[in-house]
Amino acid sequence: AVNANATPEDQQATIALFGHTHRPCVERVGGVLLINPGALMDGRYAELTLEEGLLSAQELEKIAHSIRWQTVG
């Protein structure tokens, strides 16, 4: 079970994903990689890639907003 009050180090985590702030973040603190995906709608976001067992993360900024929102129903 995960203790919500524990730090990533307490959980022996090497990666911690968090969100809700809409601010992308890819930062290493101690031995933990902190990643907040941000908000694509705001044009800035973090992208995670897992390939052949290797994880990479980077902050990106969307240049052109070509997404059209529509209601399905």
Side-chain angles (χ1 to χ4, degrees):
V2 174
N3 177 351
N5 295 319
T7 67
E9 292 87 358
D10 292 340
Q11 297 293 321
Q12 297 179 347
T14 56
I15 300 170
L17 298 172
F18 63 100
H20 196 68
T21 64
H22 294 241
R23 294 181 186 151
C25 168
V26 177
E27 179 180 346
R28 185 169 297 279
V29 175
V32 180
L33 181 61
L34 302 175
I35 303 169
N36 181 342
L40 181 58
M41 187 170 73
D42 295 339
R44 294 183 62 229
Y45 59 99
E47 177 183 81
L48 305 175
T49 304
L50 180 60
E51 190 172 317
E52 297 181 14
L54 298 175
L55 177 75
S56 63
Q58 60 183 337
E59 288 184 47
L60 300 171
E61 186 168 66
K62 187 170 179 174
I63 306 287
H65 294 277
S66 60
I67 297 173
R68 293 180 58 171
W69 299 97
Q70 30 179 277
T71 303
V72 177

